[in-house]
Amino acid sequence: MMRRFTLIAVPYLWLLALFLVPFVIVFKISLSDVALARPPYTPHFDWATGIWAFLSELDFENFVFLTQDDLYWKAYLSSLKIAVISTLLTLLVGYPMAYAMARAPSEWRATLMMLVILPFWTSFLIRVYAWMGILSNEGFLNQFLLWTGVISEPLTILNTNTAVYIGIVYTYLPFMILPIYAALERLDESLIEAAEDLGCSRLSAFWLVTIPLSKTGIIAGCFLVFIPVLGEFVIPSLLGGSDTLMIGKVLWEEFFSNRDWPVASAVAVVLLLLLIIPIVLFQRNQQKQQEAEQ
Amino acid sequence: MTIPVFEPWNDPEAKPLIQFQNVTKRFGDFTAIDDLTIGIYEKEFFALLGPSGCGKTTMMRMLAGFETPTEGKIFLSGQDMAPVPPNKRATNMMFQSYALFPHLSIWENIAFGLKREGMAKPQISDRVNEMLRLTRLEKFASRKPHQISGGQRQRVALARSLAKKPKLLLLDEPLGALDKKLRQDTQFELMDIQEQTGTTFVIVTHDQEEAMTVASRVAVMDNGRIIQVATPDRIYETPNSVYVADFIGEVNIIDGTATPNGENSYSVAWKDGQAPLNVVSPNSLSDGQSCHLAIRPEKVTINAEKPTGVDNVVAGKILDIAYLGNLSTYHVELPSGAVIKAQSANTRRISRRAFTWEDTVWLSWTATAGVLLAE
Ligand SMILES: Nc1ncnc2c1ncn2[C@@H]1O[C@H](COP(=O)(O)OP(=O)(O)OP(=O)(O)O)[C@@H](O)[C@H]1O
Ligand SMILES: [Mg+2]
């Protein structure tokens, strides 16, 4: 009995310490008012005045403010758009790679897997900086294209949305490849043969058998990319331009440029609420997959 | 009136539907099929028998188009099959592993091939229901493959391959997971289907009785080669080698040395120092050639008294009795230590059986009962 209790308690404690407590703190700040203080908001809990006096000073002003300034909902929408498009792009690039890996001779697979994971061994920030070097007007890409004569004027890629998409697809590709690869590797080759035997061409066997049987992998990969990209901050601020609007960037600016912690916290709380939907859907998908495997 | 016999393999005019021409298949340096040449005729029910790993599935897969021969050619209706992809072949294969689509229901699995043909919806529905009825799966139509039993899965795989009415049907151990009753019923269904549709069947089986029941011809394979192809009765009665005799059914093999003593007639001296055996056999042997006499247990008679006027008779002691219900197999030990099996029908109840352990008995058989095989 005691043991079972401990087993169940551990993940809940974990959740409490690493998610619920920070969330409550952020939520509390989002209900506060900005102030020239340290930390820059008010009220603070004071034992002398008591809990009721403290609670009575909290309000939803900041959330109302989010609806009034169109910057915020535009940023949310734009983030959503960028997240959706880049998830699709990552899928388009990642699926063929996962497919090729799963079809490669088995002695090659471990090596290919290593190559996919290898970028994680260097700092994410350094890799994004490297992309700046590649994509800038005098960067490697433009130099190469000019040298081959494909273009005569350097392309402006850095500080545009294109650069953001490139950066996101590059960064999140492994999250797409790995679950799809896992699904494809389990796929029994003889199912494809059976489909062909029953009159499918290679292509229709792919559509009718391979795709449906890797569906859970595709869904998992899409969520694993979509969820973090929605709040992404580093890539849009380093590779994006002034017109790249993403909620992560707005959040950062509210916190550190404006030092408006309450509004920034409100932005974060709304973002979290938005993310709950895809996270729940993702969990469902994982559960369904586990059931199917039993 | 004579009933026309179905023996296209004896007709020099007949063109085989399938022709393997010196086909060799290697996986790396392992030879799975070794220089195979054989013709299978239209409307045949051709059974492949052989130990595990002898290349039966590989042969099927080459016919279906999943493996290409390393050497040699395969012709289907006179057409070289090498460039034809699996989906363009008029063959359907039932996979040994069933290969059912896990994301589709039983109904959709069976309908899969029909939909690819572009058949109209009502016809598909009729055909699928017919197949479900045939394989007694009506109740499971809406389930997914992981929700049914192994034997049911096997029947789905069978139904799926039958649904398209192919010209050539390849069945890789189609009935192995079924109970005996259902297996027999399905065997007769298959024979019925074959008679109605004229489909050519190639079937892999580990069950000799099944091969004997359904097949027009049986091929016994070993190590990627076909050792003998013949009708079931010829395979059983006149095997061409000790391997085939031993593989099909029970057999006594007696080693000896042959001396011709008449037309097709031999006297076989055997190691026991007993009287030589008299054997009539069509296989010609030279004087003093060492040989094996293969004789089926049911062709050996067991007697309490020494019989007279028989071609061969030996004495021995009953070592063991295997009771099979309708039959009993007696293991009789000869003075030399060799054991000969004799089989007889249990016409009386077991308590009134004429022989028991340690009895001294006489075994007898006629000169034509066995076959004489060279080394
Ligand atoms: N893709 C392959 N690569 C290497 N060897 C193979 C391959 N496929 C089959 N073999 C080998 O070829 C031989 C024949 O295989 P096959 O599957 O035809 O046997 P089988 O007669 O069907 O046996 P079983 O009765 O066990 O099904 C086996 O020894 C097997 O290991
Ligand atoms: Mg096999």
Side-chain angles (χ1 to χ4, degrees):
Chain A
M1 190 63 214
M2 196 56 213
R3 235 185 97 215
R4 247 185 82 191
F5 179 76
T6 334
L7 271 179
I8 298 171
V10 168
Y12 278 100
L13 280 175
W14 182 269
L15 202 65
L16 193 74
L18 295 179
F19 176 74
L20 225 48
V21 171
F23 177 75
V24 168
I25 294 172
V26 169
F27 188 61
K28 192 215 108 190
I29 298 174
S30 75
L31 300 176
S32 312
D33 293 314
V34 67
L36 277 175
R38 205 173 244 264
Y41 57 87
T42 175
H44 296 282
F45 181 65
D46 188 351
W47 287 106
T49 52
I51 187 121
W52 290 112
F54 168 71
L55 282 180
S56 65
E57 279 187 64
L58 297 177
D59 53 49
F60 284 91
E61 220 175 47
N62 298 314
F63 290 93
V64 176
F65 176 69
L66 290 190
T67 62
Q68 285 163 347
D69 193 332
D70 63 0
L71 167 78
Y72 298 104
W73 65 264
K74 275 187 182 157
Y76 281 118
L77 268 188
S78 162
S79 297
L80 205 63
K81 192 185 113 196
I82 291 179
V84 167
I85 293 176
S86 48
T87 302
L88 289 179
L89 288 175
T90 316
L91 178 62
L92 283 181
V93 178
Y95 198 97
M97 290 176 76
Y99 187 82
M101 274 170 70
R103 287 282 161 281
S106 50
E107 64 266 26
W108 275 91
R109 287 185 200 161
T111 315
L112 291 172
M113 176 79 92
M114 267 290 284
L115 289 177
V116 170
I117 303 175
L118 203 62
F120 286 125
W121 290 9
T122 43
S123 153
F124 164 60
L125 218 52
I126 289 175
R127 285 182 284 138
V128 177
Y129 275 117
W131 274 106
M132 293 172 76
I134 295 171
L135 297 176
S136 70
N137 280 8
E138 306 80 40
F140 294 121
L141 182 66
N142 273 318
Q143 284 183 11
F144 176 74
L145 290 178
L146 286 169
W147 176 72
T148 54
V150 179
I151 51 168
S152 51
E153 290 283 299
L155 298 171
T156 312
I157 304 174
L158 191 64
N159 301 329
T160 65
N161 278 356
T162 313
V164 175
Y165 286 127
I166 292 175
I168 292 176
V169 170
Y170 162 76
T171 307
Y172 289 95
L173 200 56
F175 296 102
M176 185 62 85
I177 291 179
L178 295 179
I180 295 178
Y181 169 75
L184 287 175
E185 208 213 359
R186 272 200 307 269
L187 191 131
D188 182 359
E189 183 73 29
S190 68
L191 294 178
I192 311 294
E193 289 180 346
E196 285 183 41
D197 188 63
L198 292 165
C200 280
S201 63
R202 278 276 159 88
L203 192 66
S204 58
F206 179 76
W207 273 115
L208 293 166
V209 179
T210 313
I211 293 275
L213 287 176
S214 52
K215 200 176 75 190
T216 49
I218 295 174
I219 294 174
C222 285
F223 280 127
L224 286 179
V225 173
F226 178 82
I227 294 168
V229 168
L230 197 61
E232 179 59 49
F233 148 71
V234 174
I235 297 172
S237 45
L238 291 184
L239 299 180
S242 51
D243 59 337
T244 309
L245 200 54
M246 283 194 81
I247 199 68
K249 215 167 111 184
V250 171
L251 187 67
W252 194 88
E253 274 160 12
E254 289 294 351
F255 256 115
F256 298 102
S257 308
N258 291 355
R259 275 185 72 79
D260 191 343
W261 286 26
V263 167
S265 302
V267 169
V269 169
V270 172
L271 179 62
L272 190 77
L273 293 179
L274 286 180
L275 281 175
I276 282 178
I277 303 165
I279 289 172
V280 168
L281 288 177
F282 173 71
Q283 288 295 346
R284 280 247 189 96
N285 176 63
Q286 295 302 93
Q287 218 165 11
K288 233 171 55 190
Q289 185 181 343
Q290 270 178 2
E291 275 163 23
E293 271 162 28
Q294 274 157 17
Chain B
M1 198 185 93
T2 53
I3 302 163
V5 280
F6 178 72
E7 287 184 338
W9 48 90
N10 286 337
D11 178 1
E13 295 287 292
K15 280 253 180 298
L17 177 71
I18 305 162
Q19 180 72 46
F20 278 79
Q21 226 170 55
N22 303 98
V23 173
T24 297
K25 175 71 194 177
R26 289 190 203 96
F27 295 107
D29 52 9
F30 175 79
T31 308
I33 295 288
D34 194 1
D35 193 23
L36 188 79
T37 299
I38 188 179
I40 299 174
Y41 294 84
E42 202 165 341
K43 296 186 185 163
E44 258 207 88
F45 210 124
F46 194 86
L48 290 172
L49 271 177
S52 184
C54 69
K56 305 180 294 291
T57 300
T58 306
M59 200 174 147
M60 292 263 202
R61 288 173 58 79
M62 287 197 286
L63 275 173
F66 301 127
E67 306 281 3
T68 43
T70 316
E71 283 161 29
K73 283 196 163 100
I74 300 173
F75 296 91
L76 189 73
S77 316
Q79 186 196 359
D80 183 2
M81 291 317 271
V84 185
N87 58 328
K88 295 281 187 316
R89 299 190 181 196
T91 62
N92 279 143
M93 174 153 167
M94 176 187 164
F95 289 73
Q96 195 170 9
S97 61
Y98 313 152
L100 301 179
F101 304 120
H103 58 299
L104 300 179
S105 71
I106 303 312
W107 201 96
E108 290 165 321
N109 260 284
I110 299 174
F112 192 92
L114 302 171
K115 284 188 187 162
R116 305 286 87 71
E117 271 180 352
M119 197 189 247
K121 278 230 168 71
Q123 267 108 301
I124 292 182
S125 173
D126 287 351
R127 184 81 185 135
V128 173
N129 290 333
E130 191 188 331
M131 286 296 113
L132 287 170
R133 209 164 34 246
L134 182 72
T135 47
R136 298 182 206 169
L137 288 165
E138 297 105 318
K139 273 186 282 181
F140 309 104
S142 56
R143 296 219 196 149
K144 293 277 176 69
H146 67 95
Q147 294 167 322
I148 58 176
S149 78
Q152 288 161 350
R153 260 174 249 162
Q154 193 168 40
R155 281 181 276 157
V156 177
L158 181 62
R160 189 178 68 179
S161 62
L162 287 172
K164 283 186 82 172
K165 296 188 184 159
K167 195 153 99 182
L168 171 63
L169 197 53
L170 308 168
L171 306 177
D172 202 344
E173 289 185 41
L175 312 175
L178 306 185
D179 60 88
K180 190 163 182 179
K181 180 83 179 58
L182 188 55
R183 190 177 336 162
Q184 282 176 346
D185 288 353
T186 317
Q187 281 167 10
F188 286 115
E189 291 288 0
L190 285 181
M191 285 155 75
D192 267 358
I193 291 171
Q194 207 254 2
E195 233 148 74
Q196 284 163 22
T197 61
T199 304
T200 307
F201 281 68
V202 178
I203 178 172
V204 169
T205 172
H206 277 294
D207 178 357
Q208 323 161 6
E209 213 175 297
E210 181 168 294
M212 297 281 169
T213 315
V214 298
S216 60
R217 277 193 302 165
V218 176
V220 180
M221 294 182 68
D222 186 31
N223 278 328
R225 291 170 191 271
I226 287 185
I227 309 294
Q228 187 175 12
V229 191
T231 54
D233 58 304
R234 290 189 62 84
I235 286 269
Y236 190 76
E237 300 282 342
T238 53
N240 68 356
S241 59
V242 174
Y243 177 81
V244 174
D246 203 22
F247 193 78
I248 306 284
E250 277 198 89
V251 73
N252 296 300
I253 304 283
I254 296 169
D255 301 334
T257 320
T259 314
N261 62 359
E263 195 190 343
N264 285 341
S265 171
Y266 300 88
S267 146
V268 177
W270 50 317
K271 297 183 183 88
D272 268 334
Q274 303 208 12
L277 303 171
N278 300 307
V279 183
V280 173
S281 176
N283 300 343
S284 75
L285 294 163
S286 57
D287 195 356
Q289 189 175 349
S290 67
C291 62
H292 308 276
L293 173 64
I295 181 160
R296 301 283 177 196
E298 74 274 9
K299 296 196 170 63
V300 179
T301 317
I302 184 163
N303 313 277
E305 304 292 328
K306 183 170 184 176
T308 50
V310 289
D311 298 327
N312 301 291
V313 60
V314 292
K317 200 169 66 181
I318 295 180
L319 193 68
D320 206 355
I321 306 176
Y323 177 67
L324 306 172
N326 54 342
L327 301 171
S328 286
T329 305
Y330 300 89
H331 296 238
V332 176
E333 190 179 26
L334 306 186
S336 64
V339 174
I340 290 186
K341 285 174 273 185
Q343 209 168 51
S344 70
N346 291 327
T347 50
R348 296 196 221 168
R349 298 196 75 92
I350 190 163
S351 54
R352 306 192 50 199
R353 191 158 56 187
F355 308 104
T356 183
W357 286 268
E358 303 292 325
D359 280 0
T360 299
V361 290
W362 297 88
L363 299 178
S364 64
W365 62 89
T366 62
T368 51
V371 272
L372 211 49
L373 302 164
E375 205 55 58

